[in-house]
Amino acid sequence: MATRTKTAPEDLNLNNIVSRQFEKAAAHVKLPAGLLQQIKLCNNVYYMQFPVKIEDRYVIFEAWRAEHSHHRKPLKGGIRYSRMVDQHEIMALAALMTYKCAIGNVPFGGSKGGIKLRPRDYTPDQLQKITRRYTAELIAKNFIGPGVNVPAPDYGTGEREMAWIADTYDAFHPGGIDNWACVTGKPLSQGGIRGRREATGRGVVFGLREAFRDPEALKKSGLEGTLEGKSVAVQGFGNVGYHVAKILHEEDGCKVVAIGEYDGGVYNPKGLDIPKLSHWFEDKQTVTGFPGATKTLKHGVDVLSLPVDIIVPAALENQITRDNAHKVQARIVAEAANGPTTTDAEELLLKKGILILSDIYLNAGGVTVSYFEWAKNISHMRYGLLQKRADAFQRTQIVSATEDLMHAKFPEKVRTGLLKGLDEEDLVKSGLEETMSTGYQEISAILNKHKKVTDFRTAAFICAIEKVGLAYLELGVFP
Ligand code: NAD
């Protein structure tokens, strides 16, 4: 009688997936015994259960804050609100933060937090109570503070929650001059920074532009030319996915042909009008039914199997798995989300020669600009305030002198561009581009040096592990 072989189910535990990614890279890094283990493991996890009175009920919430690495302080990482949050996920996301900061030369250790809840189930007032109580728990255990641990937005949270966190921290630390640096991703009017809202999406686009400037990587992926005209499908139309789609559509001439959301997707092979789709989504809370689409997809994840050049998973982890990896037709997977590709899926995609621009590099734009916001908050000064006018004056002198020498005038548009002094948004964009470009060059250099390392993620992990390792070697381990 024929026996049926059962395949073991795929391991979707994000902490195990990140550990495997780490181990694959660590095999190429020479560090003293035990140190690699220290770099991999999560230093502390604070698990809490707290009550919040919701109408006439007492609801108990489960929440976490994980501190992965203290080799640099403060620690940094987002706060996630989702029903799927658990300890493994938070620990894994904290580890990714350590590696992300190292690659982007952001001087922070990695952390992450989350509350197990679905924001849609609560009113704004109830969410405010929950957020403030969570912050109070973090304060009580010294898991938040400008020099200790600095949260930011992540899946299910945004500027609103960050403002509540800042205000709660301030209430517990009266007179603390740096209180507003206890959290980033705040509204502009509450110590936020221009460019933070779109920072992760813009960073993803900067990373993609770098890949399109790298002829070897591009050739291996089977693509050529520039981003202009390339077809793109994006899964997740929240903060990150929306900005990636918008910037690729408006600034790079890409055709964004599909957007997937929690309840389905929309597709138009000629390209979707992203600003119109965004208004539709804001209004209806769904992308489905959008009049500019020619086809509706049953599941948001289906956009990842479409015949496009680039797919951008920008929702959650474990979206490209053993079950759907064989359906991927794109040549580049741009990991805007954290952990969207499982270990088995990655193996399959790499065999097909698909370039995976991995999360620990590609979505580092958020933490990079958060770092700028934190530095702005502790300096109590807006970037560009002091130099903008002086800069514009100097530029006027140079432009006038050049025009006098040439006996000709610059075209008006060029002149306006040349004369404009640099403001905060320009400086933030410039710092973000520099960070994403340097990160790509550092990872490329590792790929060139280690002939046995052939994939981008492993090279990115090597880059991160070597930097964290060096910090431990230079500082020593106390006592
Ligand atoms: P968000 O909450 O703003 O948006 C997520 C979107 O995904 C929502 O619109 C949600 O409805 C949608 N979604 C949920 N399930 C889906 C599914 N199955 N298919 C398609 N869409 C689905 O969150 P965000 O801040 O954009 O974060 C998205 C991802 O990017 C997460 O993995 C997060 O960790 C990562 N990330 C975010 C930042 C940041 O600055 N916000 C920085 C780095 C990485």
Side-chain angles (χ1 to χ4, degrees):
M1 205 169 75
T3 50
R4 277 174 58 194
T5 46
K6 271 198 187 159
T7 330
E10 188 174 14
D11 180 5
L12 298 180
N13 178 313
L14 189 60
N15 211 22
N16 292 344
I17 294 173
V18 173
S19 289
R20 282 194 290 272
Q21 293 168 346
F22 181 98
E23 295 293 351
K24 190 174 169 189
H28 302 277
V29 180
K30 283 192 189 74
L31 282 174
L35 193 49
L36 280 170
Q37 189 71 353
Q38 165 59 23
I39 297 170
K40 180 175 123 175
L41 295 178
C42 186
N43 290 1
N44 319 109
V45 189
Y46 174 30
Y47 168 63
M48 63 208 97
Q49 298 179 84
F50 55 79
V52 176
K53 192 146 184 257
I54 306 278
E55 293 165 355
D56 56 353
R57 296 171 299 138
Y58 290 88
V59 181
I60 312 293
F61 291 92
E62 277 189 289
W64 293 263
R65 184 84 184 158
E67 294 192 334
H68 175 262
S69 177
H70 293 88
H71 73 288
R72 296 242 189 282
K73 286 174 271 303
L75 279 71
K76 191 90 192 71
I79 292 179
R80 177 174 283 203
Y81 288 180
S82 152
R83 267 190 315 190
M84 263 116 69
V85 164
D86 66 21
Q87 186 157 321
H88 290 296
E89 185 195 53
I90 295 298
M91 284 164 68
L93 293 169
L96 292 177
M97 284 305 301
T98 294
Y99 310 136
K100 212 176 287 186
C101 290
I103 292 170
N105 296 313
V106 170
F108 296 144
S111 182
K112 201 82 178 189
I115 310 183
K116 203 180 191 72
L117 65 82
R118 189 168 71 161
R120 251 178 287 151
D121 294 343
Y122 301 94
T123 65
D125 275 354
Q126 292 166 348
L127 283 171
Q128 182 172 170
K129 280 169 89 174
I130 299 163
T131 304
R132 286 186 184 275
R133 175 62 193 243
Y134 175 66
T135 310
E137 297 287 336
L138 296 180
I139 294 168
K141 292 284 191 292
N142 203 25
F143 268 69
I144 184 171
V148 180
N149 193 323
V150 182
D154 192 69
Y155 186 92
T157 61
E159 291 176 11
R160 183 183 64 173
E161 287 74 15
M162 302 308 117
W164 294 334
I165 292 172
D167 187 60
T168 311
Y169 187 85
D170 190 54
F172 277 83
H173 299 84
I177 194 163
D178 290 331
N179 285 353
W180 249 246
C182 77
V183 64
T184 58
K186 301 178 292 291
L188 195 55
S189 51
Q190 297 300 333
I193 192 167
R194 286 158 188 84
R196 173 62 182 91
R197 197 178 289 167
E198 66 268 31
T200 308
R202 188 166 287 286
V204 169
V205 175
F206 280 140
L208 273 165
R209 288 179 193 164
E210 287 299 322
F212 274 83
R213 282 188 204 117
D214 178 352
E216 210 171 307
L218 207 57
K219 197 169 152 214
K220 271 194 212 158
S221 78
L223 289 175
E224 53 183 34
T226 64
L227 271 167
E228 181 148 15
K230 295 289 182 293
S231 54
V232 183
V234 181
Q235 185 205 19
F237 205 39
N239 177 289
V240 179
Y242 163 68
H243 285 107
V244 173
K246 181 173 179 278
I247 297 168
L248 285 177
H249 169 83
E250 287 177 355
E251 298 179 20
D252 297 86
C254 286
K255 241 184 343 169
V256 181
V257 298
I259 298 285
E261 253 297 322
Y262 67 98
D263 61 343
V266 284
Y267 179 48
N268 183 341
K270 291 200 175 133
L272 295 162
D273 186 324
I274 297 302
K276 275 193 186 152
L277 179 58
S278 162
H279 286 132
W280 176 272
F281 185 51
E282 229 167 79
D283 193 32
K284 317 263 184 222
Q285 299 293 304
T286 177
V287 291
T288 59
F290 177 59
T294 52
K295 196 173 165 189
T296 302
L297 305 164
K298 197 166 174 207
H299 306 289
V301 72
D302 296 343
V303 302
L304 302 178
S305 317
L306 290 168
V308 292
D309 297 312
I310 302 164
I311 51 174
V312 184
L316 282 167
E317 54 264 28
N318 294 336
Q319 297 303 302
I320 311 175
T321 65
R322 189 199 278 170
D323 294 335
N324 64 353
H326 63 280
K327 295 188 200 159
V328 171
Q329 304 180 60
R331 302 309 305 164
I332 295 182
V333 176
E335 290 189 339
N338 284 308
T341 315
T342 64
T343 314
D344 289 3
E346 172 144 37
E347 224 172 89
L348 234 137
L349 299 181
L350 292 177
K351 269 191 200 145
K352 293 208 278 184
I354 293 169
L355 172 63
I356 307 172
L357 293 172
S358 50
D359 48 8
I360 51 168
Y361 163 69
L362 199 67
N363 70 35
V367 72
T368 301
V369 176
S370 272
Y371 165 42
F372 301 158
E373 181 178 331
W374 175 83
K376 172 187 178 178
N377 292 154
I378 54 175
S379 72
H380 303 273
M381 181 83 78
R382 164 163 62 85
Y383 291 107
L385 175 65
L386 296 188
Q387 68 268 45
K388 186 177 169 185
R389 291 296 170 117
D391 185 32
F393 175 72
Q394 232 176 19
R395 286 155 173 265
T396 311
Q397 308 272 73
I398 294 168
V399 168
S400 301
T402 313
E403 286 181 336
D404 285 351
L405 279 172
M406 292 191 318
H407 302 292
K409 296 267 178 215
F410 284 107
E412 201 44 43
K413 205 174 160 199
V414 176
R415 197 168 204 279
T416 313
L418 286 172
L419 292 186
K420 186 178 168 290
L422 297 176
D423 59 23
E424 185 169 83
E425 197 169 347
D426 300 317
L427 294 168
V428 163
K429 257 196 222 171
S430 157
L432 176 58
E433 184 170 10
E434 170 64 14
T435 302
M436 294 308 293
S437 175
T438 307
Y440 193 94
Q441 303 317 323
E442 288 183 13
I443 295 166
S444 279
I446 289 169
L447 277 166
N448 285 333
K449 183 175 150 202
H450 295 260
K451 292 297 166 208
K452 286 188 180 157
V453 177
T454 52
D455 67 283
F456 193 89
R457 188 186 318 277
T458 304
F461 262 89
I462 292 175
C463 177
I465 296 169
E466 284 181 345
K467 287 186 193 178
V468 181
L470 183 64
Y472 276 111
L473 292 177
E474 285 173 346
L475 293 170
V477 173
F478 182 83

